[in-house]
Amino acid sequence: MSNSSSARAILPEGWPQPRGYANGMVAEGRVLVTGGLVGWNAEGVFAEGFIGQLRQTFLNIRAVVEAGGGHVEDIVRLTWYVTDIPAYRASLKEIGPIYREAFGRHFPAMAVIGVSELVEPEALLEIEATAVIGG
């Protein structure tokens, strides 16, 4: 993957280095915003379980960013909507390697929000991404 991104993480002086996310990002270029992407494939079939859906959602985000002319390094924000926060917390050790498979060691600003349900009844999570391409 080439890194065409001007995006860089912001770390205020004296703050501890966050693990797995950035406190803020700054970038210049064209903005690409995804809709809420879920863990189904191109045929609309959901992957099994939280981790399976998470992996597929990450791949879907990468596919949309690349289709828009970007790279994963251009992603400046991920907003996660999760229907089962305890399942998310229980999966933290599994999430890291799956995240790195899709996005490498690029960690944009992120938020994880617990929700009671999503529009797609089978969806266990939904993630929105913002990327800034070029610049």
Side-chain angles (χ1 to χ4, degrees):
M1 269 179 273
S2 73
N3 186 350
S4 65
S5 179
S6 66
R8 65 180 177 85
I10 301 300
L11 182 63
E13 187 175 330
W15 284 31
Q17 180 68 43
R19 294 186 60 198
Y21 67 95
N23 290 303
M25 299 286 289
V26 66
E28 291 185 28
R30 294 179 298 118
V31 176
L32 180 150
V33 180
T34 73
L37 299 175
V38 295
W40 60 20
N41 63 20
E43 291 77 41
V45 177
F46 277 93
E48 190 172 323
F50 181 80
I51 291 298
Q53 286 192 24
L54 182 65
R55 177 179 279 117
Q56 186 62 54
T57 302
F58 287 166
L59 295 175
N60 293 346
I61 291 167
R62 187 172 72 191
V64 171
V65 169
E66 289 175 352
H71 304 279
V72 295
E73 297 88 356
D74 297 320
I75 297 170
V76 295
R77 181 168 187 81
L78 295 172
T79 305
W80 304 36
Y81 302 94
V82 178
T83 61
D84 187 347
I85 291 293
Y88 166 81
R89 288 183 184 129
S91 301
L92 288 175
K93 287 187 180 188
E94 294 172 89
I95 290 172
I98 292 166
Y99 179 93
R100 289 187 297 277
E101 275 178 37
F103 302 127
R105 293 200 171 272
H106 174 69
F107 303 108
M110 290 188 221
V112 178
I113 302 162
V115 297
S116 60
E117 60 184 319
L118 298 163
V119 171
E120 294 298 330
E122 289 181 65
L124 301 174
L125 71 144
E126 186 169 319
I127 301 177
E128 297 173 325
T130 303
V132 179
I133 301 169

